[in-house]
Amino acid sequence: QVQLVESGGGLVQPGGSLRLSCAASGSIVSINRMAWYRQAPGKERELVAAITSGGSTNYADPVKGRFTISRDNAKNTMYLQMNSLKPEDTAVYKCNAEVLQWDWTQSDYWGQGTQVTVSS
């Protein structure tokens, strides 16, 4: 089994910054793609940013230039640095990982989510 645990969410004023972390643990051989998604009340879940094991990244248009995704493969941990936060960034942020496990099966895992609220 594999567990993903997010941390770093909270309440921040517009223009502020937060750094989210997602730590993966369990029967992990390697992790291919990792990604952050978010879902605001009444809205569909959307991709925020993704990163491959080789470091290639892609971002949703609303966060380009403000958010930076990164990962530490040795620690099986992914980060999301969020700067210049806006009220419309308010959502539950969840991490996702494509994991190759010790039994050589590849599965998709999700964290429990962390709340980010941007408000004055």
Side-chain angles (χ1 to χ4, degrees), residues 1-3 24-29 102:
Q1 272 290 7
V2 174
Q3 297 79 39
S25 62
S27 56
I28 299 170
V29 173
W102 286 110

Side-chain angles (χ1 to χ4, degrees), residues 1-111:
Q1 272 290 7
V2 174
Q3 297 79 39
L4 301 182
V5 178
E6 300 105 333
S7 60
L11 173 64
V12 63
Q13 292 187 342
S17 298
L18 282 175
R19 188 190 193 212
L20 305 183
S21 298
C22 171
S25 62
S27 56
I28 299 170
V29 173
S30 62
I31 303 177
N32 186 15
R33 177 181 178 271
M34 300 185 80
W36 289 99
Y37 289 80
R38 67 185 181 186
Q39 187 166 20
K43 294 187 177 182
E44 294 187 355
R45 185 175 63 196
E46 63 176 353
L47 175 68
V48 177
I51 185 168
T52 67
S53 57
S56 297
T57 60
N58 67 281
Y59 297 90
D61 286 343
V63 308
K64 283 181 180 177
R66 300 188 297 123
F67 291 11
T68 302
I69 189 171
S70 62
R71 63 189 283 177
D72 183 333
N73 291 330
K75 296 181 178 180
N76 289 329
T77 300
M78 172 179 63
Y79 307 95
L80 185 68
Q81 178 66 43
M82 305 186 293
N83 298 329
S84 303
L85 283 161
K86 304 175 181 179
E88 50 263 43
D89 294 318
T90 296
V92 174
Y93 285 70
K94 288 190 173 183
C95 66
N96 170 266
E98 296 176 354
V99 179
L100 178 63
Q101 298 174 239
W102 286 110
D103 61 1
W104 299 105
T105 60
Q106 181 156 302
S107 301
D108 226 33
Y109 286 92
W110 291 88

